[in-house]
Amino acid sequence: MVALGGVERGAWSLHEIGNANAQREICVRDPRMLLQLVHGPAQCQQFVIEDQPNRVTVQYRCPGQGYGRTTIKVEDRHLIRLQTQGLMKGAPFDFDYEARHIGRC
């Protein structure tokens, strides 16, 4: 996925847009992990819907856990916009994050 090649590895701060209290930090060792933020390391089958130099959309299915669809727009190596929605163990989710690279893990 071309767009993920432009994402810096390291510590990232994710701010949920529209929710001032929802902020979290993650360590990104492989940018592909951002595609399954809610489902984490679950073994999921991914289908690339869009693969552009600054934007990627992936739909995925995780047997027994649910499914999701994630779009990542890369503004630059240190700033991305991440939208993800789907179903996790029967519960729907829909998140819109602005993520900033904040340093090393």
Side-chain angles (χ1 to χ4, degrees), residues 3-74:
L4 296 182
V7 175
E8 188 75 29
R9 287 156 175 75
W12 283 78
S13 175
L14 280 70
H15 170 74
E16 186 179 346
I17 296 172
N19 187 347
N21 298 322
Q23 186 167 331
R24 65 189 253 201
E25 291 183 9
I26 61 171
C27 180
V28 176
R29 288 187 171 82
D30 181 348
R32 291 178 295 176
M33 71 180 277
L34 295 167
L35 296 170
Q36 291 181 201
L37 233 112
V38 175
H39 288 91
Q43 296 298 313
C44 305
Q45 186 176 18
Q46 296 182 348
F47 305 93
V48 178
I49 307 297
E50 176 183 28
D51 188 10
Q52 300 294 322
N54 69 335
R55 184 181 176 102
V56 63
T57 300
V58 171
Q59 188 163 322
Y60 62 89
R61 284 205 167 274
C62 309
Q65 292 195 29
Y67 58 87
R69 181 182 178 115
T70 301
T71 298
I72 296 174
K73 183 176 181 200
V74 179

